[in-house]
Amino acid sequence: LVGHGHHHDVGPGGGFGADTTPRSHFYDLNGRFSMPFGQRDHLVISTYAGRDDLDNSVAFTIPEFNGTLPGGTTAAPFRISGSIDTSDISNWTNRGASLTWTRNWSVRQQTKFVAAGSRYEKLTDRQSNGQITITGNTSGFPTPSAGGLSNAQYESNRLDDVSLQIEHTAALGQSHRVLIGGSYTNNKVAYRFDTQLPGAGVDLPNGGFRPTDLNQLLNRSDSGALLSGYVQDEMRLGRLTVTPGLRVASFNRTTETYVEPRASLGIKITEPLRLKGGWGRYTQVVNRIEREDFSNGTQEFWTLSDGTTVPAARATHYVGGLTYEKEALLIDAEVFYKSLADLTTFAPRLRPGDNTGEAGQAFYQGSGTVRGLELLIQKKVGRHSGWISYTLSEAEETFATLEAEAYPSSQDQRHELKLVDTAKFGGWTASGTWILATGKPYTASTGVSTIAIGDGTRTVGFPDFGPKNGARLPAYHRLDLAVNREWRLWSARGTVGVTVFNVYDRQNVWYKQFQGFSSQLVETDVHLMGRAFNVSMGLRF
């Protein structure tokens, strides 16, 4: 059994569920080639490849419960039991390469040219099937369906990125450092989402019932080019450092020009104490869209802005703080506020019997805010080094045509505490990281409704849900430990390391799944990675 789990029966009209821990494995490969040419030129070539595979397949038996006839009448003389068999496979791949050439014209002027390309791809194939067994007096009971348990989903997403960038930095006297640059980026994005609606199916001649084929709810394939130019001036005026900047960009899919001013400042109050602040406007044309799915877990996908269905997302950032840095100690405190506009979410809220023809148009626009406080205390040198950080934040979204009230963002995490320690002993380095965080929001099911399907003699159960993101997952915490060893062989330097993730095997909940089985609710906790081991190697010539 790939996932391990248990179930519990909470009585007639209640629900039962399972806990599953996906099986996963991953690899990352990094390469970097660096070479100087003469006294002025330097070339760096970097490559990356990675893949993550996740298998969340699970099978479990459903305890017996009272059967339900069409119309909701409970018939006590007979009992229904069954099983669920789910195949749920996902994989992510990332590949990229870049070339950076730097020309040092003098100690005061430098030009950098970057060419880069990358590809991100995600595939998910999920198929769930339920089987029903009826015991007792079934006289007059019509042939049932498997409720919402016979369904499937297929999702694919690919993002290609090719970019060119050039920038020049010049020091003008002792008080100005000017940076000017430009970039061209070409993106191609493809996304497809197919699903099988709970209860959708056809009657067979022998009295059986077969789910219909997958319905294609969304299929987007877009390409676009972004051209941008920017300038920045770092000015030093005594104890004051001011850095104004301006970025202007044009995206051919939206035919808009985006003007993005920004500025930051720093004031040296005393030698170790510094006051800082910043403000800026930002636009994003390659957007990560939330695909709402209360039953099977909300996911995200990448797509390009088109100016109508998916506008370019906009954000205004404000930040301010204090930094104290002296010898081995760094203390940093920062408050931040982000105003978000033209956000997009995809929410095809379909029920059994709904027409899927308009489902691909279920895009909604909204706004949001993010605000919070970050604290950091760091010890930078010595045999033991590390830091303690704490973040208090609140992320909220408003989609007026989707939800009447504002609700917490799916990424909202009120508290996060992180402790990191690194110790060096000769050629050995040992490190530990412990994280404690508030659980993220999710939309909880309030029960199961039933509806007649086919010729009306069958019923299907489907979950009902409460307020969007109105509940919280359990708190998240995890301990990671790592040991690394450095060694030399002629002119090469190498490192070998072993990392144990989630040392005490905390069963952190990633997301929840809800399905209706007749009048019963099936609730599944899908866990994040349990205890896992990772081996890493590095060579430097």
Side-chain angles (χ1 to χ4, degrees):
L1 189 64
V2 173
H4 67 269
H6 63 271
H7 56 260
H8 50 275
D9 192 352
V10 296
F16 44 86
D19 296 335
T20 69
T21 300
R23 183 176 60 185
S24 63
H25 62 272
F26 65 91
Y27 71 83
D28 294 293
L29 298 174
N30 290 277
R32 188 174 186 269
F33 174 78
S34 178
M35 176 180 289
F37 290 92
Q39 300 297 316
R40 296 187 176 184
D41 299 286
H42 196 95
L43 178 69
V44 176
I45 299 175
S46 299
T47 60
Y48 170 79
R51 180 181 173 99
D52 296 75
D53 289 281
L54 189 72
D55 187 342
N56 189 34
S57 302
V58 64
F60 61 89
T61 301
I62 296 170
E64 288 189 351
F65 59 92
N66 290 341
T68 303
L69 290 169
T73 302
T74 300
F78 61 88
R79 301 279 286 172
I80 296 178
S81 61
S83 63
I84 302 174
D85 188 357
T86 299
S87 171
D88 191 350
I89 307 294
S90 299
N91 61 69
W92 296 259
T93 56
N94 287 278
R95 293 180 175 83
S98 67
L99 181 149
T100 302
W101 168 69
T102 303
R103 171 79 174 188
N104 294 300
W105 303 96
S106 67
V107 294
R108 305 176 68 85
Q109 296 202 52
Q110 179 189 85
T111 300
K112 182 171 68 174
F113 172 79
V114 181
S118 65
R119 168 171 288 185
Y120 161 86
E121 192 164 14
K122 175 188 176 183
L123 296 172
T124 298
D125 191 349
R126 183 178 188 276
Q127 299 183 35
S128 182
N129 294 289
Q131 301 295 327
I132 285 180
T133 300
I134 302 174
T135 58
N137 179 16
T138 61
S139 176
F141 186 77
T143 305
S145 76
L149 297 180
S150 294
N151 58 65
Q153 286 186 353
Y154 172 80
E155 186 175 29
S156 65
N157 193 197
R158 189 177 71 191
L159 169 60
D160 292 331
D161 183 297
V162 176
S163 61
L164 301 172
Q165 179 186 24
I166 186 170
E167 65 179 36
H168 183 79
T169 304
L172 307 179
Q174 299 298 317
S175 58
H176 290 269
R177 183 177 179 84
V178 177
L179 182 149
I180 184 169
S183 66
Y184 169 83
T185 301
N186 184 275
N187 290 115
K188 293 182 179 180
V189 182
Y191 178 73
R192 178 172 174 173
F193 177 59
D194 299 350
T195 189
Q196 187 180 80
L197 291 178
V202 295
D203 293 319
L204 299 179
N206 60 2
F209 185 81
R210 178 179 62 82
T212 59
D213 295 331
L214 294 178
N215 295 295
Q216 186 178 107
L217 296 191
L218 190 61
N219 190 355
R220 292 175 63 96
S221 182
D222 307 316
S223 62
L226 180 70
L227 186 64
S228 65
Y230 53 91
V231 62
Q232 176 182 288
D233 184 9
E234 182 181 306
M235 298 181 289
R236 299 182 181 273
L237 309 170
R239 292 177 175 267
L240 177 65
T241 301
V242 181
T243 309
L246 177 67
R247 181 176 182 269
V248 179
S250 176
F251 188 53
N252 65 345
R253 281 187 59 81
T254 62
T255 65
E256 290 184 67
T257 299
Y258 307 102
V259 180
E260 303 170 353
R262 61 208 54 185
S264 63
L265 62 85
I267 303 174
K268 186 180 290 186
I269 300 174
T270 63
E271 186 59 35
L273 186 62
R274 183 172 178 265
L275 176 69
K276 60 182 179 180
W279 166 86
R281 290 179 177 169
Y282 303 87
T283 307
Q284 187 166 322
V285 297
V286 183
N287 292 290
R288 196 171 188 174
I289 305 297
E290 180 178 280
R291 176 178 63 78
E292 181 188 88
D293 189 341
F294 297 154
S295 295
N296 297 297
T298 293
Q299 303 292 327
E300 295 177 325
F301 66 92
W302 291 99
T303 192
L304 293 181
S305 297
D306 55 18
T308 53
T309 303
V310 182
R314 296 181 290 121
T316 304
H317 294 191
Y318 305 85
V319 63
L322 283 169
T323 299
Y324 178 90
E325 187 171 10
K326 189 174 184 179
E327 298 174 353
L329 180 65
L330 170 65
I331 302 175
D332 186 79
E334 189 173 281
V335 293
F336 57 88
Y337 178 84
K338 300 177 183 179
S339 175
L340 311 175
D342 290 331
L343 302 179
T344 303
T345 191
F346 178 60
R349 296 185 175 181
L350 298 174
R351 291 186 156 203
D354 285 353
N355 182 5
T356 62
E358 302 299 322
Q361 307 300 316
F363 285 91
Y364 298 84
Q365 277 74 52
S367 59
T369 58
V370 181
R371 53 192 165 199
L373 164 71
E374 292 181 341
L375 300 173
L376 171 70
I377 302 174
Q378 182 179 9
K379 182 178 181 291
K380 299 188 294 180
V381 296
R383 172 164 286 186
H384 281 270
S385 61
W387 69 84
I388 300 173
S389 66
Y390 169 72
T391 302
L392 170 67
S393 64
E394 181 183 53
E396 190 177 72
E397 293 178 348
T398 301
F399 285 81
T401 56
L402 181 65
E403 291 284 323
E405 304 290 339
Y407 56 87
S409 164
S410 296
Q411 305 305 317
D412 179 62
Q413 200 161 42
R414 199 58 43 86
H415 305 279
E416 184 184 73
L417 177 67
K418 181 180 290 187
L419 309 178
V420 178
D421 180 68
T422 301
K424 294 186 177 181
F425 306 93
W428 294 87
T429 301
S431 62
T433 302
W434 185 70
I435 303 173
L436 171 65
T438 304
K440 292 184 178 180
Y442 75 98
T443 305
S445 176
T446 58
V448 176
S449 295
T450 58
I451 188 173
I453 58 173
D455 58 6
T457 63
R458 298 175 178 84
T459 61
V460 60
F462 59 90
D464 294 318
F465 293 94
K468 182 176 173 65
N469 287 350
R472 289 268 175 184
L473 297 174
Y476 174 97
H477 53 88
R478 189 186 88 229
L479 173 66
D480 300 336
L481 296 176
V483 177
N484 292 274
R485 170 67 176 174
E486 295 184 0
W487 48 269
R488 287 180 176 272
L489 181 63
W490 298 300
S491 62
R493 284 192 300 171
T495 58
V496 176
V498 176
T499 301
V500 183
F501 295 101
N502 197 2
V503 173
Y504 51 83
D505 201 24
R506 163 71 176 178
Q507 299 298 291
N508 291 300
V509 180
W510 182 10
Y511 61 91
K512 287 179 175 283
Q513 294 177 328
F514 300 97
Q515 292 174 300
F517 189 94
S518 187
S519 61
Q520 300 288 300
L521 177 68
V522 181
E523 179 177 335
T524 302
D525 287 346
V526 180
H527 294 143
L528 287 161
M529 181 174 61
R531 185 188 299 113
F533 297 87
N534 180 58
V535 176
S536 61
M537 294 181 291
L539 276 176
R540 182 175 180 179
F541 298 94

